[in-house]
Amino acid sequence: MASDAIKNIGLSSPGVEREKLNKLLKIFEDKGFNFEDSKPPQDLKCRRVRFNSSADDSEKSTKLTQRVNTFYVDSWPEVQLNKDGTLVRPRSGRTLGGTPITIHTATLVREIVHGSSVHSFCREWKKSSFIFQDHSSPYPWGLQTQRCGSRGLILAVQAYVIKQLLFDREYVSNILAQSALRPTEFERKRSLISALCEILWKVGEGKRCCVCLLQDKRSYQQDYRVRDDNVTEHIVLFEFKKFTDVTTFIRRNIEEFTSEKSPGCILFLYSLVLSASICKLKEEMLITNETNYKLLSDREECTQALISLIITGHACHYLHNGNLVYSQSGNLLATPLKGIQERSEIGFLFWDKGENDDNRTDVGSMLKTPKKPIWLTSVNGQPGLLFSTNLDLVSDWRVETRFILHYFTGLPGIPACPLHIETRFGRNALGRTKLHRRQQEESIPQLERCIMTKWYGAAIDWPDILPFY
């Protein structure tokens, strides 16, 4: 009678429950229980973001140099507002769920950026962040730059911002491209977030990336091996393996990169290094005990390896196509010179008046003809940006007969500079004598010489503006 009553109310007998419990205990004793493979309950609406930990030697190139904990994205603190309506964001790594950087990782990052762990950033670098110019300026889509080494990094990010505004749209046309150069505040912010995420994800080879933020307290104790710079010792690390998680996280913390009081450029530079991993950068930059290559020059300007890392995802010193096996004299090189392996999204043009005409820097077609008509430029060591609103410029040779290129430096006080370029008839004939030809060549602006490395002999017109470079 008792067993019938138990069945009527939906319960099992004590003997059955005892048998189930014994089976479960036997499973635990034989196979054990792996907490690493356990998953959160399905009823909890949360997304798990796992950080890399120690792994095989074959995967070291895609891992961080320290063990990083797992955190959940939904464990975000309650959003609070200041009196002026801005968000109050706590900068505590423990609250956010990040992992403080270790002194070993900080040493490796400083060495690959500066070449030394005791060198620190200058004041201009610490004040540099990604801030858009005013809507009333000639460049409402442009980022502000300063006359320091961070200008090259900002212009590289600016190239991806223009790419997002002009060409990464649902509907692309020349008419819409013209209106895209007058973006709203929402469009500017969205394009910057997409640009930062795209660069970090490309550097991480589409598998993972790392984002660096600041916290109030120190991440490691003061040590003689690493000189404090009020930035590195406060870094916390966040690693992601899904692109959607990166986008969500940077959208929540975009103020860390755009605030005037935040070293946004330094945080993004550290994120680039840790997204690419130290081992990969050392291999691509050919860093050995005898060589001391680094991402920033002695004047804290962006080196070619850093520019190539941003626009191609690989820190290459050379700009030619493929790998160079033989020298100019025909001798076999001991170590092949690794160049650009595939067509880049963003192009690059180079000109230096100090180079000899017979031994100039070779820029391959992978960078001269990118997938999008956007080119970073280096003219006598000064960075700049050239772009066109016509996507057919890099896919249809007939468009190259007459077109317009916009030049941007990010510096204040420079007016809008649309350059009218004509390649069908070319420049006027040079003088008959050697002296006259030399005088005409010396009078050509340096920016035009850089453009002519891509379109040789092109006639360039500066409408309503005097050539300033």
Side-chain angles (χ1 to χ4, degrees), residues 281-288 291 293 317-318 335-337:
L281 289 180
K282 287 185 176 181
E283 180 181 355
E284 293 178 345
M285 297 172 64
L286 304 177
I287 297 178
T288 60
T291 59
Y293 296 118
H317 294 287
Y318 306 100
T335 303
L337 304 181

Side-chain angles (χ1 to χ4, degrees), residues 95-111:
T95 305
L96 296 178
T99 301
I101 191 172
T102 61
I103 189 169
H104 176 63
T105 304
T107 303
L108 294 176
V109 172
R110 292 277 285 273
E111 288 178 351

